[in-house]
Amino acid sequence: MKKLEEYVRSIPDFPEEGIIFRDVTSVLQDAEGLHLAIDTMQEKIKDLEYDVIAGPESRGFIFGMPIAYNNKKPFVLIRKAGKLPCETVSVDYDLEYGKATIEMHKDSVKKGQKVLIVDDLIATGGTTEAMVKLIESLGGEVVGIVVLMELAGLKGRERIRDYRLESAIVYEGK
């Protein structure tokens, strides 16, 4: 049986020279790879008690939904600004070259609910930190974060050091 890392395609010099892009689509395109990814992520948080799973579009949806389904938990969407139809709360955050805004429905997390964040990747931690702020603004308690891949060289873990972070794969570089 292949290791999870073997399903991730590494593309050198993309999007710029010196960067190795870790392509999640190669995991999704392989039934065994996808199964292993979900199972590995679930195994990382099997001891965690939570009420709801939150995930950002679009790859957080891909990994968060099967984990929510398998564990009979609700899944709430975190989306880019302007994509949700009901009343929302939002948070702005910095990107490498600009700013972004993410939103959740105002009624998607109840005060005191324990929330697990699921995403495909943590790099600098900016998006993850923004998701934590958004959930906490609704009174939710972030009890853990699980990602498929962590780019440890970009130090995202330091940005969310007060939260439990589990990574199925850790790449030491950027």
Side-chain angles (χ1 to χ4, degrees):
M1 185 163 152
K2 288 168 64 172
K3 292 172 56 178
L4 183 54
E5 294 88 332
E6 295 176 62
Y7 290 98
V8 177
R9 180 173 36 203
S10 296
I11 303 167
D13 299 323
F14 183 83
E16 59 188 51
E17 193 168 326
I19 301 293
I20 299 175
F21 184 81
R22 308 297 181 174
D23 184 17
V24 72
T25 64
S26 56
V27 175
L28 302 175
Q29 291 170 183
D30 187 291
E32 292 297 321
L34 177 57
H35 194 89
L36 183 57
I38 298 302
D39 286 352
T40 303
M41 292 171 79
Q42 284 183 152
E43 181 67 22
K44 294 279 185 185
I45 48 96
K46 71 180 179 190
D47 65 317
L48 193 63
E49 290 187 33
Y50 56 93
D51 303 310
V52 63
I53 293 177
E57 68 176 303
S58 60
R59 291 174 305 273
F61 294 5
I62 293 168
F63 294 102
M65 279 299 302
I67 295 171
Y69 178 84
N70 289 343
N71 293 285
K72 296 179 175 55
K73 301 292 183 179
F75 182 83
V76 298
L77 309 175
I78 298 174
R79 301 211 58 196
K80 295 174 186 165
K83 302 286 185 180
L84 293 170
C86 298
E87 189 176 1
T88 61
V89 292
S90 65
V91 66
D92 299 323
Y93 65 102
D94 292 324
L95 298 170
E96 191 173 354
Y97 301 108
K99 291 192 175 291
T101 302
I102 54 174
E103 297 180 330
M104 293 176 74
H105 279 141
K106 195 172 188 176
D107 63 356
S108 61
V109 172
K110 314 292 186 280
K111 185 175 173 72
Q113 278 189 314
K114 295 178 178 176
V115 181
L116 170 67
I117 295 174
V118 177
D119 205 357
D120 70 320
L121 174 79
I122 185 166
T124 65
T127 303
T128 307
E129 181 182 47
M131 289 188 287
V132 167
K133 288 179 182 176
L134 195 57
I135 291 162
E136 289 178 346
S137 77
L138 292 172
E141 176 190 354
V142 176
V143 294
I145 302 155
V146 64
V147 297
L148 179 66
M149 297 182 285
E150 177 181 355
L151 305 180
L154 294 174
K155 302 187 185 318
R157 182 176 289 273
E158 292 175 16
R159 202 163 180 172
I160 55 163
R161 73 175 64 76
D162 294 334
Y163 300 88
R164 176 176 169 180
L165 171 63
E166 298 290 344
S167 308
I169 303 169
V170 177
Y171 293 104
E172 293 306 321
K174 299 178 180 181

